[in-house]
Amino acid sequence: MTIWRQSVDTFGTAADGRMFFTERGRVLGYSGYRTTLLEARVLALPPDLVASPLVARAYDLRHSALSTWLNA
């Protein structure tokens, strides 16, 4: 919650309250999500996992979470 609050305090939200938006306040399209995801992978994962298919698409995160819940 602290990181979320710091992000909102630093970057604000779009006029309609969205947390993720373009520099002009518009809806963030797929290419923007894709670019951010690829950059985040490099920062968050060790090099061997960056080269792997782990979290190659945003969908992979949802699929992984759902699989974990179902297996639990």
Side-chain angles (χ1 to χ4, degrees):
M1 187 66 135
T2 300
I3 293 173
W4 175 81
R5 175 53 53 201
Q6 288 173 342
S7 179
V8 170
D9 290 346
T10 301
F11 302 106
T13 61
D16 64 0
R18 284 177 290 114
M19 190 169 175
F20 302 104
F21 53 94
T22 67
E23 292 176 354
R24 295 182 181 166
R26 297 182 179 149
V27 173
L28 187 61
Y30 174 77
S31 63
Y33 281 112
R34 176 94 173 122
T35 300
T36 302
L37 178 63
L38 294 176
E39 291 174 2
R41 287 181 80 229
V42 172
L43 295 172
L45 299 173
D48 59 322
L49 291 180
V50 170
S52 79
L54 180 68
V55 194
R57 302 166 296 173
Y59 170 79
D60 296 337
L61 295 173
R62 291 190 304 255
H63 178 75
S64 176
L66 182 57
S67 296
T68 301
W69 295 336
L70 290 173
N71 287 331

